[in-house]
Amino acid sequence: MAQGKPKMQVQATGAPKREGMGSVRKSAMFLGCVALAYMLYVVLSGQWGVFWASLAGVDRTWVIVSLLCYVAYYLLGVLAYAIAVVADPTSPLGICDLMSVEATGIFFSNLTPNGTGGAPAQILRLTRSGLSVGAAGALQYTRFIIYEAGEGIFAALMLIPRLGYFIHTYGNVFLVGALLFGAKVVEVTSLLLVCLLPKQVSALGGWGLRLLRRWNLVGEERYQRWSHTVNEQIYEFSNGFKAGARNWRLMLLTLGVTLVQLGFQYALPWVVLRAFGKPADLLTCLACGSMLELLTSAIPLPGGTFGAEGGFAFLFGSMFGSALSAGYVVWRFVEYILPVLAAVPLMGLRTRSGLSIHARLRRMRR
């Protein structure tokens, strides 16, 4: 997924970048071990023959369609950033810069636990394009909140027409999905409260820290450090969001683009099912894809490892049948592995012309 978690301070020393790359290397090694373990499972469970037979029968046309779906997901992410800066005549960001920012988010979010490396890396990339740290944080915070809200809204829109299907197909286990959806609602509501009521939230956080100190759960030094961090991050987050949300019409347009963007991502299992010649209902696959994303993002491991495998098998197992193992490999390759590899050269893109998106739009209108 393209967006990260809480912001990390951006320093001129480049320490965050070194720490981020160290986390990426560890995550890559971990994911390599997971992939090896998965292949050993396929072999030892006797599914190797079925696995290769299923892969041999894949319709390559639909595989290409799945790749195009992810390209659309990426381009819509770039468009969402462009909408946020198009009205600012002083913004130095160009299209290539935003393509690099979106690719940076995909790379670091996919290769760090819970996607925590995505937002700091994107903020750092924005500052290298000429934005101040405050302006970069404002842009990234706004995009992050809209993306998180889009996930919750999309899940709600899919649950309304497919609630009966989930209850009938998955029974009481669907309660897990309902809890994940509830957690997403709580997360988005909490973010909005931080943005709109920073003083009250800061006071509540300070009260909680004082309570921990009174119970001797944190020392004085740690209390002072945490108190300073909580107050600083809350007000910085709030100010950044308010600065980016002044034009509410553009924010609503960005939300609409985000919902379409998520639709392309959640439609990938449906396209993969068609590649294996399996009948599938698009709306049902969108609903299951939304639930799968909520589950994957809740797992504190790079790429939502184990949550992605288990959730895919549980939600799409009956649809893929004997081709489940091969279907998971194709889906994971298109949705995760290939985007990480493709993001590497895109992160180096730079806008050389010196023209901002606002200036380019004015030139096009003329």
Side-chain angles (χ1 to χ4, degrees):
M1 303 295 117
Q3 321 317 320
K5 298 297 179 187
K7 170 182 173 289
M8 174 175 60
Q9 290 295 325
V10 180
Q11 302 171 0
T13 60
K17 182 179 179 181
R18 290 195 297 270
E19 294 174 3
M21 291 307 299
S23 178
V24 164
R25 285 191 292 269
K26 295 176 183 178
S27 299
M29 293 175 61
F30 170 76
L31 292 170
C33 294
V34 171
L36 180 60
Y38 180 76
M39 296 310 296
L40 287 175
Y41 165 76
V42 172
V43 173
L44 296 177
S45 62
Q47 303 180 44
W48 190 251
V50 177
F51 175 82
W52 280 111
S54 299
L55 283 180
V58 169
D59 187 337
R60 293 180 177 83
T61 301
W62 281 104
V63 175
I64 294 174
V65 172
S66 69
L67 295 175
L68 293 177
C69 281
Y70 199 91
V71 171
Y73 170 86
Y74 168 73
L75 294 178
L76 287 169
V78 177
L79 177 60
Y81 276 106
I83 292 173
V85 301
V86 69
D88 185 4
T90 64
S91 175
L93 298 172
I95 292 295
C96 288
D97 291 323
L98 297 183
M99 292 177 67
S100 174
V101 170
E102 181 70 9
T104 300
I106 291 174
F107 182 83
F108 283 94
S109 292
N110 283 341
L111 288 179
T112 53
N114 273 133
T116 51
Q122 288 176 300
I123 291 174
L124 182 62
R125 176 62 186 86
L126 287 168
T127 59
R128 290 182 173 179
S129 296
L131 288 182
S132 65
V133 176
L139 176 59
Q140 185 58 35
Y141 290 150
T142 306
R143 174 64 181 138
F144 170 70
I145 292 177
I146 291 177
Y147 191 90
E148 293 295 310
E151 286 186 336
I153 293 172
F154 197 102
L157 293 175
M158 292 298 103
L159 280 176
I160 292 172
R162 283 294 179 265
L163 182 60
Y165 167 82
F166 277 109
I167 295 175
H168 179 265
T169 306
Y170 305 113
N172 293 333
V173 182
F174 173 63
L175 293 175
V176 177
L179 289 174
L180 291 172
F181 173 71
K184 176 62 65 175
V185 173
V186 171
E187 177 188 2
V188 174
T189 302
S190 301
L191 289 173
L192 290 176
L193 287 176
V194 170
C195 293
L196 301 177
L197 303 171
K199 184 176 180 180
Q200 290 81 351
V201 174
S202 178
L204 181 62
W207 175 80
L209 286 175
R210 288 192 297 272
L211 193 62
L212 292 176
R213 182 179 61 174
R214 184 179 304 173
W215 291 346
N216 295 323
L217 295 177
V218 296
E220 184 63 29
E221 181 179 353
R222 182 173 295 181
Y223 166 78
Q224 294 295 338
R225 185 170 67 252
W226 284 5
S227 179
H228 174 74
T229 301
V230 166
N231 290 327
E232 180 182 5
Q233 293 295 321
I234 287 175
Y235 281 101
E236 194 170 342
F237 195 89
S238 175
N239 293 334
F241 176 79
K242 290 177 180 177
R246 287 170 182 165
N247 194 328
W248 60 269
R249 291 180 179 86
L250 289 181
M251 176 173 283
L252 288 179
L253 179 59
T254 304
L255 178 60
V257 170
T258 300
L259 292 175
V260 178
Q261 178 190 19
L262 292 171
F264 276 101
Q265 181 188 19
Y266 299 157
L268 285 175
W270 177 80
V271 179
V272 175
L273 279 164
R274 300 303 302 269
F276 283 89
K278 304 291 185 180
D281 178 69
L282 177 58
L283 192 60
T284 300
C285 288
L286 286 172
C288 291
S290 177
M291 287 295 104
L292 178 59
E293 176 60 26
L294 293 180
L295 175 61
T296 302
S297 61
I299 304 298
L301 291 173
T305 304
F306 302 130
E309 293 86 345
F312 188 87
F314 178 74
L315 291 167
F316 295 100
S318 60
M319 303 181 194
F320 278 95
S322 60
L324 177 62
S325 298
Y328 170 77
V329 169
V330 174
W331 170 76
R332 195 63 163 164
F333 180 80
V334 174
E335 186 264 350
Y336 184 78
I337 298 175
L338 189 59
V340 169
L341 298 176
V344 175
L346 294 175
M347 287 192 294
L349 293 176
R350 297 289 188 277
T351 299
R352 306 295 183 184
S353 65
L355 287 176
S356 66
I357 295 176
H358 180 85
R360 285 184 180 276
L361 184 61
R362 290 185 60 187
R363 175 180 291 185
M364 290 173 60
R365 287 176 176 175
R366 290 172 183 171

